[in-house]
Amino acid sequence: MKRFLSPFAIIFSIMAFSQQQGKLRKVATVGFLNVENLWDTIRSADYIDGTKDIRNPAFHRSIPVDSIKFLEAEKYSGVWNDDALLGKKVVKYQSGSEEFTPKSAKNYNTKVYRTKLANEAKVISEMGAQYTKTAPAIVGLIEVENRQVIQDLVNEPALKKYDYGIIHYNSYDYRGIDVALIYQKRRFTPTNSLKKELKVFGDDGKREYTRDILVVTGFLDNEKVAFFMNHWPSRRGGEAISLPKRNAAAALLKQQMDSIRTADPTTKLFAMGDFNDDPVSSSLKNYLKAQASPKDLNDTNPYLNLMYPLYKKGVASLAYQDAPNLFDQIIVSKNLVTDQVTKDYSVYKAEIFAPAYLVSKEGNYKGYPFRSWNGDQFTGGYSDHFPAFVVLQKEP
């Protein structure tokens, strides 16, 4: 492990703890983590029943491949999106599903799956707990296969007592992975959710299927909020070549955030996820227009990247091609930014969560996130990304 990755294990705060000591506060953690390929052990496919309402989970669901023969389905060679599939019944095969089965080179069995679930549940339960003494109110998830793996996750002993609800939609991602949101039902009441399809194309002009942006609105401890979960297109093929795809994702995210903010400027917005770009990348700076400092916020540029100060201090959330990157970011609207504790939620601090057990201690990956997989070998680790979270505070 190169020395330049040593900041991985260091936690920096947006606001100094000493400034807020002595004040009674109500607090909440909002965070997310990349669960690094949380698949079940069953080879699956997507079944789209376009005769059902798009908002019905049965419109697009994950099914065991062995059950396809029992379902009505037509041959389909068109584009993959909800509108095009209205009225149709079709099967879409997942390119990643076969990799995570007992018969694969990974020997991905129930024991490994249960260990994986327990590991991710432990991380979620501890995010922000040093400040709030409880698990996060809201948690975004990246790289989940389907709704069932999320249900298995929230039923883990470390999480079950918090009674997490689930918001998830299947995407048409080429590998079959999605983003999702879980929430403590006693603290968050969702009012609406939807997925926004990201349309990107390769150099050959062909459509490339990637993750949707998940948009969720509701009330967090009686305050109107909106969450935007992201897993932007990767740097596969090179950073510069793939950048237009992430620029497109940033433009779509901004359009969604602006729309909700215009409809009700009091709504507090949280955009978070794996952006596959750093805070200084064109996608974040020029397309989303996420600002680096509170002093730069205004009605034209109302979004603050909480991770920019951490990035400038050398903090990273992963290593991509043996270089440190801070791809995991949280961006908030300016109505969450104040240096006072008020009756409404505001940002207290933001962190990359890197306790010792999440950091590899030896070998070629020393100092990196303690990942779950080294090729086809299960390591017993957690993820190839460190999670990120923001702690909110207000008067009780």
Side-chain angles (χ1 to χ4, degrees):
M1 186 62 193
K2 294 182 173 64
R3 292 180 62 82
F4 58 69
L5 287 183
S6 60
F8 264 162
I10 302 174
I11 296 176
F12 289 95
S13 301
I14 294 294
M15 300 180 183
F17 181 77
S18 60
Q19 292 176 346
Q20 305 297 341
Q21 282 183 328
K23 294 184 178 181
L24 294 174
R25 297 169 297 160
K26 183 178 179 67
V27 290
T29 297
V30 172
F32 72 94
L33 73 160
N34 186 321
V35 292
E36 192 191 356
N37 292 313
L38 184 56
W39 297 75
D40 59 28
T41 62
I42 302 168
R43 189 184 175 202
S44 302
D46 286 353
Y47 183 66
I48 298 94
D49 184 350
T51 66
K52 299 186 182 299
D53 189 283
I54 287 178
R55 294 166 294 183
N56 186 334
F59 178 92
H60 184 175
R61 69 184 192 271
S62 180
I63 61 169
V65 169
D66 290 345
S67 69
I68 291 174
K69 59 181 175 289
F70 301 110
L71 297 170
E72 179 184 352
E74 62 184 90
K75 290 184 178 180
Y76 183 74
S77 58
V79 297
W80 294 99
N81 64 54
D82 290 350
D83 291 338
L85 293 169
L86 288 175
K88 302 179 183 297
K89 294 182 178 181
V90 302
V91 173
K92 182 178 186 295
Y93 289 90
Q94 302 170 349
S95 67
S97 179
E98 193 170 4
E99 182 182 2
F100 292 89
T101 65
K103 294 181 179 180
S104 71
K106 282 184 165 59
N107 188 30
Y108 189 68
N109 53 35
T110 300
K111 180 180 179 181
V112 173
Y113 178 54
R114 299 310 309 186
T115 301
K116 180 75 173 161
L117 288 171
N119 284 355
E120 307 307 331
K122 172 181 170 64
V123 177
I124 292 171
S125 70
E126 295 179 1
M127 288 168 54
Q130 68 190 99
Y131 307 109
T132 65
K133 309 304 180 186
T134 188
I138 305 289
V139 184
L141 301 173
I142 298 169
E143 291 194 10
V144 293
E145 179 192 8
N146 53 40
R147 187 182 183 91
Q148 185 58 55
V149 299
I150 307 168
Q151 191 64 62
D152 290 345
L153 177 64
V154 299
N155 283 337
E156 281 291 303
L159 296 180
K160 189 174 180 62
K161 62 183 176 182
Y162 298 108
D163 191 23
Y164 279 104
I166 298 170
I167 299 174
H168 165 263
Y169 296 94
N170 278 300
S171 73
Y172 296 100
D173 174 70
Y174 72 102
R175 285 187 61 223
I177 57 172
D178 311 317
V179 297
L181 199 79
I182 61 174
Y183 60 93
Q184 289 194 35
K185 296 176 185 177
R186 67 182 181 87
R187 303 195 66 175
F188 179 68
T189 303
T191 55
N192 191 39
S193 64
L194 54 92
K195 62 176 185 178
K196 292 303 295 184
E197 180 184 18
L198 175 60
K199 295 182 180 180
V200 294
F201 300 86
D203 292 338
D204 57 2
K206 291 184 179 180
R207 174 78 184 274
E208 294 185 358
Y209 293 94
T210 187
R211 284 72 57 180
D212 303 316
I213 296 177
L214 176 62
V215 182
V216 179
T217 58
F219 291 89
L220 174 61
D221 295 332
N222 298 315
E223 293 191 34
K224 199 168 186 179
V225 294
F227 301 100
F228 306 82
M229 270 307 301
N230 299 264
H231 186 187
W232 288 2
S234 74
R235 293 186 171 188
R236 186 164 49 110
E239 177 183 355
I241 291 175
S242 60
L243 180 59
K245 300 171 189 176
R246 294 186 296 282
N247 289 344
L252 177 62
L253 174 59
K254 187 175 189 303
Q255 186 271 326
Q256 290 298 302
M257 295 176 73
D258 288 350
S259 176
I260 289 178
R261 185 171 175 272
T262 299
D264 186 349
T266 68
T267 305
K268 295 175 176 177
L269 311 184
F270 301 80
M272 55 189 181
D274 176 1
F275 295 95
N276 272 305
D277 268 335
D278 288 313
V280 295
S281 298
S282 172
S283 57
L284 278 303
K285 287 186 64 178
N286 301 328
Y287 286 80
L288 184 58
K289 298 187 183 301
Q291 301 302 301
S293 170
K295 66 181 177 59
D296 298 322
L297 296 174
N298 52 50
D299 287 340
T300 304
N301 298 304
Y303 307 128
L304 178 68
N305 194 330
L306 297 179
M307 298 305 168
Y308 185 88
L310 306 185
Y311 177 80
K312 296 299 287 185
K313 291 179 178 179
V315 175
S317 61
L318 77 159
Y320 177 75
Q321 295 184 347
D322 207 28
N325 290 103
L326 186 48
F327 289 172
D328 301 270
Q329 300 166 53
I330 300 176
I331 295 151
V332 299
S333 52
K334 68 185 182 73
N335 55 357
L336 277 157
V337 182
T338 177
D339 57 1
Q340 302 295 320
V341 181
T342 70
K343 62 181 179 61
D344 297 319
Y345 271 136
S346 62
V347 172
Y348 170 45
K349 59 173 57 185
E351 291 186 2
I352 295 299
F353 186 52
Y357 70 85
L358 285 184
V359 183
S360 293
K361 296 176 176 57
E362 58 188 8
N364 292 334
Y365 296 109
K366 183 177 180 181
Y368 283 50
F370 184 20
R371 61 192 305 151
S372 299
W373 295 97
N374 182 7
D376 288 329
Q377 181 67 40
F378 182 63
T379 67
Y382 298 81
S383 176
D384 52 353
H385 291 242
F386 291 133
F389 67 82
V390 56
V391 177
L392 307 176
Q393 65 177 356
K394 67 177 177 178
E395 293 175 356

Tab-separated table of all heavy atoms in Angstrom, residues 336-368:
chain	number	residue	atom	x	y	z
A	336	LEU	N	-29.898	23.623	4.298
A	336	LEU	CA	-29.367	22.740	5.339
A	336	LEU	C	-28.066	23.267	5.923
A	336	LEU	O	-27.464	22.623	6.777
A	336	LEU	CB	-29.130	21.343	4.771
A	336	LEU	CG	-30.351	20.417	4.716
A	336	LEU	CD1	-30.167	19.333	3.673
A	336	LEU	CD2	-30.624	19.805	6.078
A	337	VAL	N	-27.631	24.431	5.479
A	337	VAL	CA	-26.325	24.953	5.859
A	337	VAL	C	-26.482	26.203	6.709
A	337	VAL	O	-26.997	27.226	6.258
A	337	VAL	CB	-25.484	25.281	4.608
A	337	VAL	CG1	-24.098	25.772	5.009
A	337	VAL	CG2	-25.371	24.050	3.709
A	338	THR	N	-26.059	26.117	7.971
A	338	THR	CA	-26.068	27.257	8.877
A	338	THR	C	-25.066	26.995	9.985
A	338	THR	O	-24.726	25.840	10.259
A	338	THR	CB	-27.467	27.491	9.489
A	338	THR	OG1	-27.413	28.572	10.418
A	338	THR	CG2	-27.976	26.251	10.206
A	339	ASP	N	-24.591	28.050	10.612
A	339	ASP	CA	-23.646	27.865	11.724
A	339	ASP	C	-24.349	27.947	13.074
A	339	ASP	O	-23.707	28.011	14.112
A	339	ASP	CB	-22.508	28.885	11.656
A	339	ASP	CG	-23.017	30.328	11.662
A	339	ASP	OD1	-24.246	30.529	11.740
A	339	ASP	OD2	-22.183	31.242	11.585
A	340	GLN	N	-25.681	27.919	13.062
A	340	GLN	CA	-26.468	27.974	14.286
A	340	GLN	C	-27.304	26.709	14.446
A	340	GLN	O	-27.665	26.069	13.454
A	340	GLN	CB	-27.402	29.197	14.276
A	340	GLN	CG	-26.690	30.527	14.115
A	340	GLN	CD	-25.787	30.839	15.292
A	340	GLN	OE1	-26.138	30.588	16.449
A	340	GLN	NE2	-24.609	31.395	15.008
A	341	VAL	N	-27.602	26.360	15.689
A	341	VAL	CA	-28.542	25.277	15.966
A	341	VAL	C	-29.931	25.895	16.064
A	341	VAL	O	-30.174	26.743	16.931
A	341	VAL	CB	-28.198	24.534	17.269
A	341	VAL	CG1	-29.186	23.405	17.511
A	341	VAL	CG2	-26.782	23.995	17.219
A	342	THR	N	-30.842	25.511	15.189
A	342	THR	CA	-32.175	26.099	15.130
A	342	THR	C	-33.227	25.022	15.330
A	342	THR	O	-32.907	23.862	15.599
A	342	THR	CB	-32.393	26.805	13.779
A	342	THR	OG1	-32.495	25.806	12.742
A	342	THR	CG2	-31.243	27.758	13.462
A	343	LYS	N	-34.471	25.395	15.139
A	343	LYS	CA	-35.570	24.436	15.301
A	343	LYS	C	-35.682	23.486	14.112
A	343	LYS	O	-36.458	22.535	14.162
A	343	LYS	CB	-36.891	25.176	15.487
A	343	LYS	CG	-37.299	26.043	14.311
A	343	LYS	CD	-38.606	26.765	14.585
A	343	LYS	CE	-39.004	27.665	13.411
A	343	LYS	NZ	-39.203	26.920	12.167
A	344	ASP	N	-34.934	23.757	13.044
A	344	ASP	CA	-34.948	22.912	11.856
A	344	ASP	C	-33.591	22.235	11.667
A	344	ASP	O	-32.553	22.762	12.063
A	344	ASP	CB	-35.265	23.742	10.610
A	344	ASP	CG	-36.652	24.360	10.660
A	344	ASP	OD1	-37.586	23.663	11.096
A	344	ASP	OD2	-36.792	25.537	10.266
A	345	TYR	N	-33.622	21.088	11.007
A	345	TYR	CA	-32.388	20.346	10.786
A	345	TYR	C	-31.393	21.138	9.926
A	345	TYR	O	-31.762	21.791	8.940
A	345	TYR	CB	-32.667	19.015	10.091
A	345	TYR	CG	-32.959	17.879	11.036
A	345	TYR	CD1	-34.011	16.990	10.793
A	345	TYR	CD2	-32.165	17.666	12.163
A	345	TYR	CE1	-34.273	15.929	11.653
A	345	TYR	CE2	-32.422	16.609	13.030
A	345	TYR	CZ	-33.470	15.751	12.769
A	345	TYR	OH	-33.722	14.698	13.625
A	346	SER	N	-30.123	21.054	10.308
A	346	SER	CA	-29.021	21.579	9.507
A	346	SER	C	-27.844	20.619	9.642
A	346	SER	O	-27.827	19.736	10.508
A	346	SER	CB	-28.622	22.980	9.960
A	346	SER	OG	-28.156	22.954	11.308
A	347	VAL	N	-26.852	20.799	8.777
A	347	VAL	CA	-25.676	19.936	8.791
A	347	VAL	C	-24.821	20.219	10.019
A	347	VAL	O	-24.463	21.367	10.292
A	347	VAL	CB	-24.832	20.164	7.519
A	347	VAL	CG1	-23.505	19.423	7.616
A	347	VAL	CG2	-25.605	19.710	6.283
A	348	TYR	N	-24.522	19.159	10.760
A	348	TYR	CA	-23.583	19.256	11.870
A	348	TYR	C	-22.189	18.872	11.404
A	348	TYR	O	-21.226	19.600	11.579
A	348	TYR	CB	-24.056	18.370	13.030
A	348	TYR	CG	-23.052	18.201	14.146
A	348	TYR	CD1	-22.356	19.290	14.646
A	348	TYR	CD2	-22.824	16.942	14.694
A	348	TYR	CE1	-21.433	19.134	15.670
A	348	TYR	CE2	-21.913	16.774	15.720
A	348	TYR	CZ	-21.216	17.871	16.206
A	348	TYR	OH	-20.307	17.710	17.213
A	349	LYS	N	-22.074	17.714	10.769
A	349	LYS	CA	-20.783	17.291	10.233
A	349	LYS	C	-20.990	16.174	9.207
A	349	LYS	O	-22.011	15.493	9.206
A	349	LYS	CB	-19.828	16.835	11.326
A	349	LYS	CG	-20.320	15.679	12.181
A	349	LYS	CD	-19.220	15.213	13.120
A	349	LYS	CE	-18.745	16.359	13.990
A	349	LYS	NZ	-17.593	15.989	14.843
A	350	ALA	N	-20.016	16.033	8.339
A	350	ALA	CA	-20.022	14.956	7.349
A	350	ALA	C	-18.709	14.202	7.434
A	350	ALA	O	-17.657	14.807	7.656
A	350	ALA	CB	-20.218	15.518	5.944
A	351	GLU	N	-18.767	12.892	7.261
A	351	GLU	CA	-17.570	12.076	7.408
A	351	GLU	C	-17.548	10.941	6.398
A	351	GLU	O	-18.591	10.483	5.927
A	351	GLU	CB	-17.492	11.462	8.815
A	351	GLU	CG	-17.246	12.464	9.917
A	351	GLU	CD	-17.043	11.793	11.268
A	351	GLU	OE1	-17.065	10.546	11.337
A	351	GLU	OE2	-16.844	12.538	12.235
A	352	ILE	N	-16.332	10.506	6.093
A	352	ILE	CA	-16.112	9.192	5.491
A	352	ILE	C	-15.877	8.241	6.660
A	352	ILE	O	-15.005	8.470	7.500
A	352	ILE	CB	-14.900	9.212	4.547
A	352	ILE	CG1	-15.161	10.129	3.351
A	352	ILE	CG2	-14.565	7.795	4.077
A	352	ILE	CD1	-16.344	9.714	2.482
A	353	PHE	N	-16.677	7.184	6.726
A	353	PHE	CA	-16.655	6.272	7.865
A	353	PHE	C	-15.608	5.188	7.618
A	353	PHE	O	-15.761	4.341	6.750
A	353	PHE	CB	-18.039	5.659	8.036
A	353	PHE	CG	-18.194	4.798	9.259
A	353	PHE	CD1	-17.836	5.266	10.511
A	353	PHE	CD2	-18.740	3.522	9.158
A	353	PHE	CE1	-18.002	4.477	11.640
A	353	PHE	CE2	-18.916	2.729	10.277
A	353	PHE	CZ	-18.539	3.207	11.518
A	354	ALA	N	-14.513	5.245	8.388
A	354	ALA	CA	-13.408	4.307	8.173
A	354	ALA	C	-12.844	3.799	9.488
A	354	ALA	O	-11.665	4.008	9.801
A	354	ALA	CB	-12.318	4.969	7.345
A	355	PRO	N	-13.658	3.107	10.306
A	355	PRO	CA	-13.102	2.497	11.515
A	355	PRO	C	-12.099	1.417	11.146
A	355	PRO	O	-12.053	0.951	9.999
A	355	PRO	CB	-14.339	1.899	12.204
A	355	PRO	CG	-15.303	1.651	11.097
A	355	PRO	CD	-15.079	2.765	10.105
A	356	ALA	N	-11.300	0.994	12.122
A	356	ALA	CA	-10.183	0.084	11.848
A	356	ALA	C	-10.624	-1.200	11.157
A	356	ALA	O	-9.911	-1.717	10.281
A	356	ALA	CB	-9.458	-0.237	13.151
A	357	TYR	N	-11.797	-1.739	11.507
A	357	TYR	CA	-12.192	-3.021	10.934
A	357	TYR	C	-12.567	-2.908	9.445
A	357	TYR	O	-12.659	-3.926	8.750
A	357	TYR	CB	-13.337	-3.652	11.731
A	357	TYR	CG	-14.683	-2.969	11.631
A	357	TYR	CD1	-15.565	-3.247	10.585
A	357	TYR	CD2	-15.099	-2.063	12.609
A	357	TYR	CE1	-16.806	-2.636	10.504
A	357	TYR	CE2	-16.338	-1.448	12.544
A	357	TYR	CZ	-17.184	-1.738	11.485
A	357	TYR	OH	-18.421	-1.125	11.418
A	358	LEU	N	-12.762	-1.695	8.951
A	358	LEU	CA	-13.069	-1.507	7.535
A	358	LEU	C	-11.817	-1.282	6.690
A	358	LEU	O	-11.924	-1.092	5.476
A	358	LEU	CB	-14.020	-0.321	7.341
A	358	LEU	CG	-15.483	-0.541	7.718
A	358	LEU	CD1	-16.315	0.687	7.372
A	358	LEU	CD2	-16.057	-1.769	7.027
A	359	VAL	N	-10.648	-1.288	7.312
A	359	VAL	CA	-9.397	-0.998	6.609
A	359	VAL	C	-8.544	-2.267	6.528
A	359	VAL	O	-8.311	-2.939	7.533
A	359	VAL	CB	-8.606	0.112	7.337
A	359	VAL	CG1	-7.339	0.460	6.564
A	359	VAL	CG2	-9.472	1.351	7.537
A	360	SER	N	-8.081	-2.595	5.315
A	360	SER	CA	-7.190	-3.748	5.148
A	360	SER	C	-5.870	-3.496	5.879
A	360	SER	O	-5.291	-2.412	5.777
A	360	SER	CB	-6.896	-3.992	3.667
A	360	SER	OG	-8.061	-4.399	2.989
A	361	LYS	N	-5.401	-4.491	6.589
A	361	LYS	CA	-4.235	-4.307	7.454
A	361	LYS	C	-2.947	-4.896	6.888
A	361	LYS	O	-1.868	-4.686	7.455
A	361	LYS	CB	-4.524	-4.912	8.832
A	361	LYS	CG	-5.663	-4.205	9.549
A	361	LYS	CD	-5.992	-4.886	10.853
A	361	LYS	CE	-7.072	-4.099	11.608
A	361	LYS	NZ	-8.303	-3.923	10.799
A	362	GLU	N	-3.028	-5.635	5.794
A	362	GLU	CA	-1.829	-6.258	5.261
A	362	GLU	C	-1.993	-6.550	3.778
A	362	GLU	O	-3.078	-6.390	3.209
A	362	GLU	CB	-1.532	-7.556	6.011
A	362	GLU	CG	-2.658	-8.570	5.960
A	362	GLU	CD	-2.414	-9.759	6.858
A	362	GLU	OE1	-1.448	-9.728	7.635
A	362	GLU	OE2	-3.176	-10.739	6.752
A	363	GLY	N	-0.907	-6.973	3.169
A	363	GLY	CA	-0.939	-7.378	1.773
A	363	GLY	C	-0.943	-6.215	0.797
A	363	GLY	O	-0.682	-5.060	1.161
A	364	ASN	N	-1.255	-6.523	-0.462
A	364	ASN	CA	-1.238	-5.506	-1.518
A	364	ASN	C	-2.270	-4.413	-1.301
A	364	ASN	O	-2.135	-3.315	-1.847
A	364	ASN	CB	-1.476	-6.169	-2.882
A	364	ASN	CG	-0.335	-7.061	-3.307
A	364	ASN	OD1	0.798	-6.860	-2.882
A	364	ASN	ND2	-0.623	-8.059	-4.136
A	365	TYR	N	-3.314	-4.726	-0.528
A	365	TYR	CA	-4.389	-3.764	-0.322
A	365	TYR	C	-4.326	-3.110	1.062
A	365	TYR	O	-5.324	-2.571	1.539
A	365	TYR	CB	-5.746	-4.448	-0.514
A	365	TYR	CG	-5.965	-4.948	-1.922
A	365	TYR	CD1	-5.962	-6.315	-2.190
A	365	TYR	CD2	-6.157	-4.067	-2.976
A	365	TYR	CE1	-6.152	-6.792	-3.482
A	365	TYR	CE2	-6.350	-4.526	-4.274
A	365	TYR	CZ	-6.349	-5.887	-4.512
A	365	TYR	OH	-6.540	-6.354	-5.789
A	366	LYS	N	-3.168	-3.141	1.680
A	366	LYS	CA	-3.024	-2.518	2.999
A	366	LYS	C	-3.402	-1.039	2.932
A	366	LYS	O	-2.911	-0.283	2.094
A	366	LYS	CB	-1.581	-2.669	3.492
A	366	LYS	CG	-1.368	-2.116	4.902
A	366	LYS	CD	0.064	-2.346	5.379
A	366	LYS	CE	0.249	-1.796	6.786
A	366	LYS	NZ	1.645	-1.999	7.259
A	367	GLY	N	-4.304	-0.627	3.836
A	367	GLY	CA	-4.765	0.755	3.865
A	367	GLY	C	-5.991	1.012	3.016
A	367	GLY	O	-6.652	2.029	3.170
A	368	TYR	N	-6.301	0.088	2.114
A	368	TYR	CA	-7.497	0.206	1.287
A	368	TYR	C	-8.725	-0.200	2.120
A	368	TYR	O	-8.606	-0.848	3.165
A	368	TYR	CB	-7.428	-0.753	0.102
A	368	TYR	CG	-6.549	-0.358	-1.045
A	368	TYR	CD1	-5.239	0.046	-0.849
A	368	TYR	CD2	-7.023	-0.436	-2.351
A	368	TYR	CE1	-4.423	0.378	-1.933
A	368	TYR	CE2	-6.221	-0.115	-3.429
A	368	TYR	CZ	-4.916	0.297	-3.209
A	368	TYR	OH	-4.129	0.609	-4.278
